[in-house]
Amino acid sequence: MCDTCGCSTEGEAVLRMPGKTGGHIHMDLKSHSHEHASGDHPHDHNHDHPGSRKVLLEQDVLQQNNLLAERNRGFFEARNIFALNFLSSPGSGKTSLLEALIPALQASTPVAVIEGDQQTTNDADRIHALGVPVIQINTGSGCHLDAMMVNRAIRELPLPDGTLLCIENVGNLVCPAMFDLGEALKVVIISVTEGDDKPLKYPNMFHESDVCILNKTDLLPYVEFDALKCRQNAMQVNHHLQWFEVSAKTGAGMAPLQEWIEHKLKDH
Amino acid sequence: MHEMSIAMSIVDAVDAKARAEGAVRISLIELKIGKLAGILPEALRFCFSAAATGSLAGQAQLVIDEPDGRGRCSDCGHEFSVDFYYARCPECGSLRIVIVSGEEFLIQSIIIDEEGE
Ligand SMILES: Nc1nc2c(ncn2[C@@H]2O[C@H](COP(=O)(O)OP(=O)(O)OP(=O)(O)O)[C@@H](O)[C@H]2O)c(=O)[nH]1
Ligand SMILES: [Zn+2]
Ligand SMILES: [Zn+2]
Ligand SMILES: [Zn+2]
């Protein structure tokens, strides 16, 4: 049930904008209207061929999502928007990282954020406090964002030319990797409290990503986590991975990451 | 459980195709899901029956072909089976492996019934 208006939205996604009262939009994402075509044409029973036949599709299961992702990508290209899709397990620090990055980047580039979460607007409220446009997508029972949700969200967000659009995906290392949103790059975040074998346990995520950020390095002295081994494991799965080690909390390592993003913003 | 939304994508796609072909029901759906595609066929089957309820695929049988992972070495050209995204070439030890199969994720075909009953 939607906690804003109380209507039934089991499993449906909802858009909300912090700072705008009453503004929430239900997204009927799954076009599951299987109503039968109104009987305006009689069935043409052709008894010359057997009643059943094979029809070839040979289409990607995610074709619908991928087509929409391409539309999002076209929209981003037309407006010179650089979109990053941030992926991680829950709590590795995606929102904290955005909170650390945005104030620095905002000076030179317009920034906007799409926050994906199953239920709350906590993350969007944190981003809203930074003074950048943000929209929350509550996925309900869905454990990842898809291209349709992003398509709806970008229609509601002010996105001037040249915007850096940060999309914080739902905290989950499995499915978000399968869904192209139309982003320029996927950024996977892993924190030192998670185990250095994560890249091997969730290879799809690391295989699909362009950048990996190891966060919470301020905790390295207190946990058993081998940063070098983690990096080697990640590189085995994907040798093109760009690697950063940061602490969103202390700011350590943030400067190179910020410079890298600024550089990418210029040449994308 | 991403298998649920994937099951729903499959139902949407086959239902639309079957309607366009004038079908009254889908009796069988053939999928190709490589072993490296990140989908658990068992979980997909489980979700599918729920996702298909009320659609033309409500009674459809799912046939899933699961191609094995195969990699080709970019250094020596050797081809071998893999069960992961990374592998070491058994011939020359290189890690520059390109996955040539196992990532498929396709709806291949459906069998539709064109007449009632
Ligand atoms: N010590 C330390 N704690 C951090 C760091 N970054 C984030 N945290 C803490 O980790 C917790 C989770 O951080 P979030 O930024 O909310 O993580 P998230 O990935 O956005 O979480 P979800 O959206 O729920 O998936 C919070 O308590 C943060 O204060 C860091 O660099 N060092
Ligand atoms: Zn968050
Ligand atoms: Zn999912
Ligand atoms: Zn070789």
Side-chain angles (χ1 to χ4, degrees), chain A residues 159-174:
Chain A
L159 293 169
D161 276 10
T163 296
L164 168 66
L165 176 63
C166 300
I167 304 169
E168 183 182 331
N169 219 306
V170 179
N172 168 359
L173 274 179
V174 184

Side-chain angles (χ1 to χ4, degrees), chain A residues 29-37 43-47 49-62 64 143-144 172 174-175 178-179 199-204 207-208 233 236-239, chain B residues 1-2 5-6 8-15 17 19 21-22 24 27 30-31 36-39 51 53-56 84-86 95-97 99 103 105-116:
Chain A
L29 297 168
K30 314 290 175 214
S31 54
H32 264 263
S33 52
H34 293 297
E35 78 284 344
H36 290 261
H43 276 290
D44 211 351
H45 290 258
N46 181 346
H47 295 282
H49 61 75
S52 80
R53 65 187 166 96
K54 187 167 180 163
V55 179
L56 289 182
L57 278 89
E58 286 173 344
Q59 81 176 45
D60 196 297
V61 171
L62 298 176
Q64 250 178 318
C143 45
H144 54 268
N172 168 359
V174 184
C175 351
M178 300 187 64
F179 291 81
L200 301 183
K201 284 185 173 163
Y202 298 94
N204 289 44
H207 184 69
E208 294 301 318
N233 287 340
Q236 274 184 58
V237 179
N238 177 0
H239 52 267
Chain B
M1 263 265 273
H2 55 303
S5 68
I6 283 162
M8 288 164 86
S9 311
I10 295 171
V11 172
D12 281 342
V14 296
D15 188 271
K17 181 70 174 179
R19 278 172 202 280
E21 296 282 333
V24 295
S27 55
E30 241 188 320
L31 304 173
L36 304 176
I39 296 293
T53 305
S55 77
L56 293 190
F84 225 26
Y85 280 110
Y86 71 88
L95 285 168
R96 294 181 50 224
I97 306 304
I99 302 295
E103 295 186 295
F105 194 25
L106 296 170
I107 306 170
Q108 292 204 284
S109 65
I110 54 178
I111 292 181
I112 55 173
D113 294 343
E114 293 174 303
E115 298 174 18

Side-chain angles (χ1 to χ4, degrees), chain A residues 129-150:
Chain A
L130 304 175
V132 296
V134 56
I135 194 159
Q136 177 82 52
I137 301 173
N138 284 131
T139 55
S141 59
C143 45
H144 54 268
L145 294 179
D146 64 30
M148 167 70 88
M149 297 175 188
V150 169

Side-chain angles (χ1 to χ4, degrees), chain A residues 70-223:
Chain A
E70 280 313 319
R71 269 172 64 181
N72 293 346
R73 195 167 278 121
F75 174 87
F76 296 149
E77 268 169 27
R79 301 199 180 193
N80 193 31
I81 290 166
F82 184 56
L84 296 175
N85 181 3
F86 290 85
L87 313 142
S88 83
S89 40
S92 61
K94 296 178 294 300
T95 313
S96 305
L97 207 66
L98 293 177
E99 287 175 312
L101 276 171
I102 289 171
L105 291 167
Q106 214 179 348
S108 50
T109 322
V111 181
V113 178
I114 295 174
E115 280 290 341
D117 239 319
Q118 290 193 308
Q119 293 297 344
T120 71
T121 60
N122 297 355
D123 288 349
D125 296 339
R126 284 164 62 184
I127 299 297
H128 181 62
L130 304 175
V132 296
V134 56
I135 194 159
Q136 177 82 52
I137 301 173
N138 284 131
T139 55
S141 59
C143 45
H144 54 268
L145 294 179
D146 64 30
M148 167 70 88
M149 297 175 188
V150 169
N151 188 271
R152 292 298 305 273
I154 58 184
R155 289 191 225 165
E156 308 297 328
L157 265 182
L159 293 169
D161 276 10
T163 296
L164 168 66
L165 176 63
C166 300
I167 304 169
E168 183 182 331
N169 219 306
V170 179
N172 168 359
L173 274 179
V174 184
C175 351
M178 300 187 64
F179 291 81
D180 183 6
L181 305 179
E183 74 277 352
L185 300 174
K186 286 191 174 74
V187 182
V188 61
I189 296 154
I190 168 173
S191 57
V192 306
T193 49
E194 295 174 53
D196 44 38
D197 56 351
K198 267 274 158 77
L200 301 183
K201 284 185 173 163
Y202 298 94
N204 289 44
M205 178 67 75
F206 289 82
H207 184 69
E208 294 301 318
S209 292
D210 304 282
V211 186
C212 180
I213 301 174
L214 177 63
N215 188 31
K216 307 195 188 178
T217 53
D218 58 293
L219 299 178
L220 275 173
Y222 315 105
V223 292

